Amino acid sequence: MKMRTFASIFAVLLFALAAIPSFAASKTVYMLTVVGPIEPAMAEYVQQGIKRAEEHNAGAVLIKMDTPGGGYEPMRQIVQTMLDARVPIIVYVPSGGRAASAGTFITMAANIAAMAPVSNIGSAHPVFNAPGASGDQTDSVSKTMMAKVVNDASAYIISIADERGRNAKWAEQAVRKSVNVKATDAVKLGVIDFTADSVPQVLEKADGRTVRTKAGRVTLRTKDAPIEEINMNWAMQMLGLLGNPLVAYVLMLVAILGIIFEINNPGATFPGVIGIVALILLLFSFSVIPINTAGVVLVLLGIGLFIIDLKVPSHGVFTTGAILAFFMGSVMLFASGAPAFSVPIATIAAGTLAIALFFIFLVGWGAKALKMPVVTGVQGMMGKVVEARTDIAPTGQVFAEGTLWSAWTDGGMINKGERVRIVDMKGLKVKVERVVG
């Protein structure tokens, strides 16, 4: 009997030991890489990554982040997902990286926040409009509206800091006064938990810490844990690319060039198709990138003045106005906001120059065409040398301008195949004479 009891206990111990590797394998750390602006595609990527980690019972999710900031709503989506997560969330800003603007909110929302010594966090003052506003600069919305935006953002980041036990006073200053600190100071201020030189060191320092998730209190076991990287799929990468302001600016240029070329040259087809596709993609980009209404109006005004100059030569007056309007509109749209949604002035200047040269070329081409002899209608037919397709005695047919024409002659009979010259035209009939020599 004792032998059977001993055997049973031994079997249970063996079963428990066999289960240990399985338990360790379930503590994989899922790593997400967030580099660049915080936009809808990035928010979807983070949300799906955290959901996947929960489904696979991961030990933690590590978000490796370097961002200049981004959209207000995508940031809130990420933060809310982090706060509702059933797995611990670690945010790490690598060497040379930053957690600016929206990145500050995301870092504050982590269960464990770490940064490399050479990195910084802060500057979370709202730059763009809140949902429903029409511009992307402080001076493009009323002071009352901006005050509401700042107050909302301040209250939000304070609530995040309180939830995670971080320095709420500093968090409020990051929003209201755009304060920004380096990693070592962030640790002293209680903004982040510690500094680390690498991802393995982050996991080593996080090991043993107890955090609170939606599933309850969890003690991290991350030292030497296996890491599984989750990358964006191609669809998310494409949508993320359309959220890049530089890509949006190029799409705007392509749309303008393609559509205007098609208007000026009906039937070209290919430029028009490319222009329409670029315009549709641009509309999606503008749904992601906050736009300035005044900037849009100025860009449209510039295009309108260019088109007018094509039809009504103004000795450069309309063209000059168009260049100025297009450049200033482009600056308002793409170069006057936060770094996350800005295009360098040099790029905008180059784009404006390309548009200007394109329209100047079209204007010059049109003026040259007006000086050329008419090649259509009655004037275009007169004097043409064509071939008689039948005997003309005194009537018959000739081939001109890609089609057959009824013809007559006052001279002698003209044989089929002879060369004749068109000397008159009445309706759809042409008068011809034999070409001698």
Side-chain angles (χ1 to χ4, degrees):
M1 190 67 178
K2 291 182 179 180
M3 288 297 293
R4 287 183 180 179
T5 302
F6 178 77
S8 299
I9 295 173
F10 185 70
V12 170
L13 289 174
L14 287 177
F15 180 79
L17 290 173
I20 290 175
S22 176
F23 174 79
S26 69
K27 297 303 178 181
T28 299
V29 173
Y30 282 50
M31 187 168 77
L32 310 176
T33 302
V34 175
V35 176
I38 304 300
E39 33 76 26
M42 189 68 77
E44 180 69 16
Y45 163 64
V46 174
Q47 288 176 309
Q48 289 189 13
I50 293 176
K51 181 180 179 181
R52 180 175 169 183
E54 290 175 333
E55 291 173 347
H56 290 78
N57 191 30
V61 172
L62 189 149
I63 301 175
K64 187 178 179 181
M65 184 176 68
D66 177 11
T67 178
Y72 188 72
E73 285 305 315
M75 174 273 291
R76 288 190 71 109
Q77 292 171 13
I78 292 174
V79 169
Q80 194 59 52
T81 302
M82 293 170 65
L83 295 176
D84 291 339
R86 291 181 289 107
V87 295
I89 308 294
I90 303 170
V91 169
Y92 174 57
V93 181
S95 182
R98 54 182 168 168
S101 192
T104 304
F105 287 78
I106 295 170
T107 304
M108 300 289 284
N111 295 109
I112 301 292
M115 298 173 64
V118 185
S119 61
N120 60 285
I121 183 172
S123 301
H125 184 83
V127 176
F128 296 113
N129 54 296
S134 61
D136 59 20
Q137 291 181 283
T138 302
D139 59 2
S140 68
V141 294
S142 67
K143 292 182 179 179
T144 301
M145 185 63 186
M146 182 51 65
K148 289 181 179 180
V149 174
V150 172
N151 289 337
D152 177 73
S154 297
Y156 190 50
I157 202 167
I158 288 172
S159 66
I160 295 171
D162 287 340
E163 173 68 17
R164 295 307 194 201
R166 304 195 187 283
N167 189 332
K169 185 177 180 180
W170 180 90
E172 183 179 9
Q173 293 302 304
V175 171
R176 294 191 179 278
K177 297 185 178 181
S178 292
V179 296
N180 196 301
V181 296
K182 60 184 180 179
T184 51
D185 290 337
V187 175
K188 295 175 183 177
L189 290 168
V191 176
I192 64 173
D193 297 289
F194 53 79
T195 60
D197 293 316
S198 63
V199 169
Q201 192 174 64
V202 171
L203 299 182
E204 182 179 347
K205 288 189 174 184
D207 187 70
R209 292 176 180 249
T210 299
V211 298
R212 188 173 70 253
T213 69
K214 282 296 180 180
R217 299 185 71 81
V218 178
T219 299
L220 290 165
R221 293 289 181 258
T222 52
K223 184 178 180 181
D224 298 325
I227 299 174
E228 181 174 335
E229 292 190 39
I230 302 177
N231 299 313
M232 274 190 172
N233 59 39
W234 68 269
M236 287 183 182
Q237 290 178 7
M238 184 185 72
L239 294 179
L241 189 64
L242 292 176
N244 187 308
L246 183 58
V247 173
Y249 186 64
V250 172
L251 285 174
M252 185 177 77
L253 296 179
V254 172
I256 293 170
L257 295 175
I259 293 173
I260 298 303
F261 189 88
E262 182 68 28
I263 291 174
N264 200 61
N265 299 273
T269 307
F270 182 73
V273 170
I274 295 298
I276 292 295
V277 171
L279 179 61
I280 294 172
L281 295 176
L282 177 64
L283 292 176
F284 176 84
S285 293
F286 279 169
S287 72
V288 175
I289 301 172
I291 60 175
N292 182 295
T293 305
V296 174
V297 172
L298 279 174
V299 168
L300 294 177
L301 174 63
I303 296 169
L305 291 175
F306 275 127
I307 294 175
I308 292 173
D309 209 15
L310 288 175
K311 308 299 180 182
V312 184
S314 62
H315 305 288
V317 176
F318 286 144
T319 297
T320 301
I323 292 172
L324 291 175
F326 186 85
F327 178 75
M328 292 306 299
S330 297
V331 169
M332 289 182 181
L333 275 174
F334 295 102
S336 57
F341 293 111
S342 291
V343 173
I345 289 291
T347 301
I348 292 176
T352 302
L353 178 61
I355 291 289
L357 292 176
F358 173 75
F359 277 97
I360 291 171
F361 167 73
L362 285 185
V363 171
W365 190 12
K368 184 179 180 181
L370 290 174
K371 296 178 182 179
M372 295 177 64
V374 179
V375 294
T376 60
V378 176
Q379 294 89 341
M381 294 287 285
M382 298 301 291
K384 278 188 174 295
V385 176
V386 297
E387 180 184 341
R389 286 298 177 93
T390 66
D391 294 337
I392 304 176
T395 62
Q397 290 184 324
V398 297
F399 186 79
E401 297 293 324
T403 189
L404 291 173
W405 295 76
S406 295
W408 86 92
T409 182
D410 290 339
M413 176 181 174
I414 298 174
N415 297 318
K416 176 182 178 180
E418 286 191 75
R419 296 169 68 238
V420 296
R421 178 179 289 106
I422 298 174
V423 295
D424 196 4
M425 185 174 180
K426 292 182 179 180
L428 298 178
K429 292 184 178 181
V430 294
K431 180 179 179 180
V432 299
E433 63 182 18
R434 180 185 286 106
V435 175
V436 180

